[in-house]
Amino acid sequence: MLNDTKRNRALLYAGIAAFALFAIVPYYWVIRTSFLTNIAAISPDTGFIPALSKLTLESYTQIWDRFAFVTFFRNSIIVSVAATVISLFFAIPGAYAFARLDFPGRKALFYTAVFTIMFPWIVLTIPVYEVFYFLDLVNTLVGVIIALSIFVLPQNIWLLQGFFRQGIPESIEEAALIDGHNELTAFLRIVLPLSLPAVAAAALFAFLTAWNNFLWVFVLTTDEEVRTATVAIYYILGSDVLREWNVLMASLVLLVAPPVIFYGLSRRYVGEGLGGTPG
């Protein structure tokens, strides 16, 4: 018989395996369906693990040919990368100021920025649309980039402020000042390189938020030329492809692939950045 320790460990592993299976099966089903023909995708005879003869890339080629996914993907990459870069450009000095400098209204400004993360943005759609319409930014990639940059900026400030406050000792900056650096050069040459893990983590979350954003892109765009892939999926759902599950699943795989790749490239730094450890 198993003793209590081995029995508990076996139960723990069984629970983890069951949870992992429960979490992984939907993703497997999406990928599986995307490589099937439409008839095989809806046929009960296909099986959980389909035969190789039933696998095809037809659904992926249809996505590119029928729905201009090249344009949608290009727009998604442009707005996500641009929003990430712009938000970091303002969030890094802003977060550093909140963490290190003492100025009037510092706490009020910081808590206001943090509060916007929890604020239901959907209530702002009408005034935001009116402002962007007045500035002639509706139906433009520039308008989408500005909107997404504003949307991800508060979370970047919140994340980086915590790292600057807890992950970078003030003694490092004091030593740099003694060595002849001023506050700006100490930040650029000492603090910022040490903060690369946190910046990478902030960049990852900003990219994911911008890539997956639906509301602002949907509100600010009506033409296909400026739609992103996330909004394009919504219109595909409303088309005749609703009866073509393989094509729909292929579009979902293509939509998820770039964030997964981006995470794979930056995961080396993300754990350090979230853990408050300097690079």
Side-chain angles (χ1 to χ4, degrees), residues 33-212:
T33 306
S34 70
F35 286 103
L36 297 174
T37 63
N38 188 42
I39 295 177
I42 61 177
S43 174
D45 299 328
T46 301
F48 188 77
I49 301 177
L52 292 177
S53 59
K54 295 184 178 181
L55 301 180
T56 177
L57 295 175
E58 176 185 349
S59 55
Y60 289 92
T61 58
Q62 288 187 44
I63 280 292
W64 295 113
D65 296 339
R66 291 168 53 187
F67 297 102
F69 242 61
V70 172
T71 301
F72 302 145
F73 256 66
R74 180 198 64 201
N75 292 341
S76 290
I77 292 173
I78 290 174
V79 300
S80 299
V81 172
T84 299
V85 172
I86 293 173
S87 65
L88 288 176
F89 179 80
F90 290 101
I92 291 173
Y96 184 77
F98 284 128
R100 287 288 192 265
L101 304 181
D102 187 13
F103 53 89
R106 178 174 64 89
K107 288 187 177 181
L109 288 174
F110 176 72
Y111 287 121
T112 299
V114 173
F115 174 74
T116 59
I117 301 176
M118 301 175 285
F119 196 78
W121 286 81
I122 193 170
V123 302
L124 298 176
T125 52
I126 294 178
V128 167
Y129 181 86
E130 290 181 348
V131 170
F132 277 66
Y133 182 81
F134 176 78
L135 298 174
D136 200 23
L137 293 175
V138 175
N139 256 340
T140 65
L141 287 180
V142 174
V144 174
I145 291 171
I146 294 175
L148 294 181
S149 300
I150 297 172
F151 183 72
V152 301
L153 180 61
Q155 73 175 24
N156 281 346
I157 291 177
W158 172 74
L159 180 62
L160 292 173
Q161 184 271 157
F163 184 87
F164 287 137
R165 184 181 297 275
Q166 301 177 7
I168 305 294
E170 294 187 25
S171 57
I172 294 179
E173 297 154 89
E174 294 172 356
L177 295 175
I178 294 174
D179 288 340
H181 292 282
N182 56 39
E183 292 183 352
L184 179 60
T185 58
F187 172 74
L188 294 177
R189 297 182 180 181
I190 308 297
V191 176
L192 190 57
L194 291 175
S195 305
L196 286 181
V199 173
L204 174 64
F205 285 113
F207 182 86
L208 293 178
T209 303
W211 181 274
N212 294 322

Side-chain angles (χ1 to χ4, degrees), residues 202-224:
L204 174 64
F205 285 113
F207 182 86
L208 293 178
T209 303
W211 181 274
N212 294 322
N213 185 273
F214 174 84
L215 177 63
W216 294 123
V217 183
F218 181 75
V219 169
L220 297 176
T221 63
T222 56
D223 298 338
E224 281 194 358

Side-chain angles (χ1 to χ4, degrees), residues 239-256:
S239 66
D240 58 350
V241 80
L242 185 59
R243 296 182 295 273
E244 300 178 46
W245 289 102
N246 59 332
V247 177
L248 178 59
M249 297 305 173
S251 64
L252 295 179
V253 171
L254 293 174
L255 182 64
V256 172

